[in-house]
Amino acid sequence: GALVQRGTVTVATSATLRDAAVVMEREEVGAVVVVVDGRAAGVLSERDVVGAVANGEDVDDVRAGDVMAVDVVSASVDDTVEQAAAAMLAGNIP
């Protein structure tokens, strides 16, 4: 996808949903890779943010790590963030 080709856009697990939405808007991407200690931990998409808002969650309180998709793919610990991101995004696109 375009996200990986243009360089992976990432946020920390501690980023709020608003932080993540700001990054997605700025970078013009529909999903970001959530990272912990430089490793891909999950994927957060626009749909995840919208879903949280629809459920009445506070975008300034909920963290990316709380709502990211983590079961999309199992990434090897040896994978780079880019490799893991590519695999997760490939599995995350409907």
Side-chain angles (χ1 to χ4, degrees):
L3 175 62
V4 176
Q5 291 167 359
R6 290 179 44 215
T8 307
V9 181
T10 62
V11 298
T13 52
S14 59
T16 65
L17 293 188
R18 184 183 301 276
D19 293 336
V22 166
V23 171
M24 284 187 240
E25 177 73 12
R26 184 183 69 221
E27 300 294 331
E28 298 181 343
V29 295
V32 291
V33 177
V34 184
V35 293
V36 180
D37 298 328
R39 297 279 180 195
V43 172
L44 183 73
S45 71
E46 290 174 341
R47 294 296 312 158
D48 297 324
V49 177
V50 170
V53 171
N55 289 330
E57 304 281 1
D58 183 343
V59 294
D60 293 312
D61 186 46
V62 177
R63 306 287 167 176
D66 297 332
V67 295
M68 66 186 183
V70 291
D71 56 349
V72 176
V73 71
S74 56
S76 160
V77 293
D78 296 324
D79 285 350
T80 66
V81 169
E82 286 75 22
Q83 288 169 324
M88 282 190 279
L89 290 167
N92 201 32
I93 296 168

